[in-house]
Amino acid sequence: MTTIKDIAELAGVSRTTVSRVLNRSGYVSEAAEARVMEVIEETGYIPSEQAKAMRTKQTKVIGVVLPKISTETVSRTVDGIDTKLSEHGYHLLLANTNLDPAKEIEHLKLLQSRRVDGIIIVATNINDQLLKMIERIKEPVVAVGQDIPGLPCVLYNDYEASRDVTDHLLQKGHRHIGFIGVSEQDRAVGHERLRAFRDTMASWGCPVEENWVQQGVFDIESGYEAMKQIIETSNVRPTAVFAVTDRLAIGAMEYVRSLGWKIPEDISFIGIGSSDLSKYSSPKLSTVDYYNEQAGMKTAELLLDYLRGDKKAPEKFIMNYGLIERNSI
C-alpha cells in the first residue's frame, strides 16, 4: 500500500511537504505541490484518514445544524456536544442556518453528502419539508430543543418553565403582565412559552391585554421594538414584562430606560436563558437557566447510544431548569 513516505520519494520532496499538501496547511511552493498532486493521481493514493473511513465505514465526523451560531445558548449547547463527542474521537462539522428554514434543508442535504456518521439538529421551525428530509437520512439524527416526531430528542421543559416564570411574577403581586415572544412556528420557544403564559394568567383570573403580547426575533433590537409597541399601543402600561429570551428582555429594558423609567420600581422584567448579558445588565436580569451545556452533553450521549446500536426506539429526555431571581423584579 502506498504511504506518505512513498509519495515523498516519488515526488522528490519531504514527508512534511506531502503532509502540508494533503492537509492544506503551511507553505508549499506551486512546483512542489504540482509534483505531489501528480504522484497522488498516478498512484491512486488515499490519505490514511479517508482510507480508515472506507475500511470502518466511519468518518468520525458529526454534523450539527444550528439556528443561529452567534447566540449564547446555542454556543453553550455546542460546547456540551463537543465536550462529550471529542472524548470518543469525533469531530464536529457545524452548519449555521441563521434561522432560514430553506438553509436548514440545504445543510441537511450537504451533511448527508459528506457522509457524516450522525447529525444533531438544533431546530426552530418544524415543517413538512424538514420532516420529509429527515426521513431520507439513513444516519442517526438526534434533535435538541424541539420535539421532532420520530426522532430521539433532548428537550427543554418550555411549558413548565414559562408557567413558573409567570407564576413568579404573579406571586410578586403583578397582575398586569406583558409578554414578548417569538413566532409560534417555533413550537418550543414561540408556542409553548406563550401557551403557558396564557394558561397561568387564566388560572389566576388575570386577563391578558392583547396589545401587551408582542413578537421579536431573538435579538436585542427586536426586544426594544416590541416593548415600544406595547407602550405606544396601550393606555395603561404593564407593571411587569416576561420575555422568552434574555436578549429580548434586555432590549425591552433599554427601551423603558430611554423613557426615564426605573427598573424595577416602575416596571419589572424577567427572561429565559441565563446569558452572560443577564448577569451584567443594569439591574441584573432575573432569568431561567436551561443548563444548555449539560443538554448538549446529553444530546451527544444519546447520539452515541444510537451509533453503537444500543438504542432502537426514539427516546425523549426532558432537561431540568432553574429560576434565578435577581434585581429586575
Side-chain angles (χ1 to χ4, degrees):
M1 186 178 71
T2 306
T3 65
I4 286 181
K5 181 181 179 182
D6 297 330
I7 298 295
E9 289 177 354
L10 290 168
V13 298
S14 68
R15 280 180 286 182
T16 299
T17 298
V18 176
S19 179
R20 286 178 175 176
V21 172
L22 291 172
N23 295 315
R24 298 188 178 277
S25 63
Y27 172 76
V28 178
S29 70
E30 290 184 9
E33 182 176 2
R35 290 199 301 274
V36 170
M37 293 305 296
E38 184 178 357
V39 170
I40 287 173
E41 187 173 349
E42 289 174 353
T43 59
Y45 172 74
I46 300 175
S48 59
E49 284 299 317
Q50 294 181 35
K52 182 179 178 182
M54 290 178 67
R55 290 195 304 272
T56 64
K57 300 192 182 301
Q58 287 185 324
T59 61
K60 301 300 285 187
V61 175
I62 301 299
V64 185
V65 180
L66 308 170
K68 201 170 183 66
I69 200 168
S70 59
T71 64
E72 193 176 330
T73 53
V74 169
S75 65
R76 288 204 302 258
T77 304
V78 172
D79 280 346
I81 292 169
D82 184 56
T83 296
K84 181 56 64 175
L85 288 179
S86 63
E87 293 174 0
H88 297 268
Y90 286 92
H91 303 281
L92 302 186
L93 182 58
L94 305 181
N96 181 32
T97 70
N98 204 27
L99 298 173
D100 183 344
K103 280 190 175 181
E104 205 164 43
I105 303 299
E106 180 184 322
H107 289 324
L108 284 171
K109 289 179 180 177
L110 176 63
L111 292 173
Q112 190 179 26
S113 71
R114 293 289 178 90
R115 302 180 65 84
V116 296
D117 291 341
I119 295 174
I120 292 172
I121 180 167
V122 186
T124 52
N125 298 334
I126 310 302
N127 54 54
D128 290 341
Q129 191 178 7
L130 175 66
L131 295 176
K132 287 176 182 177
M133 180 64 215
I134 290 172
E135 284 179 3
R136 293 198 292 268
I137 298 173
K138 296 178 181 178
E139 294 75 22
V141 181
V142 175
V144 56
Q146 296 280 359
D147 190 354
I148 300 181
L151 288 189
C153 304
V154 174
L155 304 171
Y156 301 113
N157 204 338
D158 288 285
Y159 184 88
E160 294 298 328
S162 181
R163 189 170 69 176
D164 282 354
V165 165
T166 311
D167 195 64
H168 182 68
L169 291 173
L170 290 160
Q171 287 180 8
K172 290 290 184 179
H174 295 284
R175 297 295 182 269
H176 305 291
I177 303 173
F179 181 92
I180 300 177
V182 298
S183 169
E184 288 195 70
Q185 287 185 320
D186 183 326
R187 182 159 186 83
V189 180
H191 178 78
E192 285 300 289
R193 296 183 194 181
L194 176 58
R195 184 170 74 90
F197 169 73
R198 290 187 183 280
D199 287 352
T200 310
M201 291 289 284
S203 71
W204 279 68
C206 297
V208 174
E209 171 61 56
E210 292 304 322
N211 286 350
W212 295 351
V213 178
Q214 298 292 332
Q215 284 188 3
V217 289
F218 290 99
D219 61 29
I220 292 173
E221 184 178 356
S222 67
Y224 184 100
E225 292 300 324
M227 191 69 224
K228 182 179 180 182
Q229 189 73 8
I230 288 172
I231 299 303
E232 290 185 348
T233 60
S234 307
N235 293 323
V236 179
R237 71 190 189 197
T239 63
V241 172
F242 168 23
V244 296
T245 74
D246 287 352
R247 295 174 75 85
L248 289 170
I250 288 168
M253 289 166 67
E254 185 59 33
Y255 177 73
V256 301
R257 271 196 294 265
S258 74
L259 301 178
W261 297 5
K262 294 181 179 180
I263 306 168
E265 291 85 354
D266 297 322
I267 188 168
S268 296
F269 289 92
I270 189 167
I272 290 180
S274 188
S275 64
D276 285 342
L277 283 171
S278 70
K279 300 174 189 175
Y280 300 108
S281 63
S282 180
K284 294 180 180 180
L285 177 66
S286 294
T287 185
V288 174
D289 192 345
Y290 265 2
Y291 311 126
N292 298 102
E293 190 167 353
Q294 291 94 322
M297 294 179 72
K298 180 62 183 178
T299 304
E301 289 174 3
L302 200 55
L303 180 61
L304 288 167
D305 287 343
Y306 284 91
L307 288 169
R308 289 190 294 259
D310 296 342
K311 302 282 186 180
K312 299 300 180 185
E315 181 181 354
K316 312 290 184 183
F317 184 88
I318 300 176
M319 294 293 298
N320 202 352
Y321 60 89
L323 183 69
I324 302 172
E325 186 174 4
R326 297 198 180 109
N327 305 325
S328 62
I329 298 175

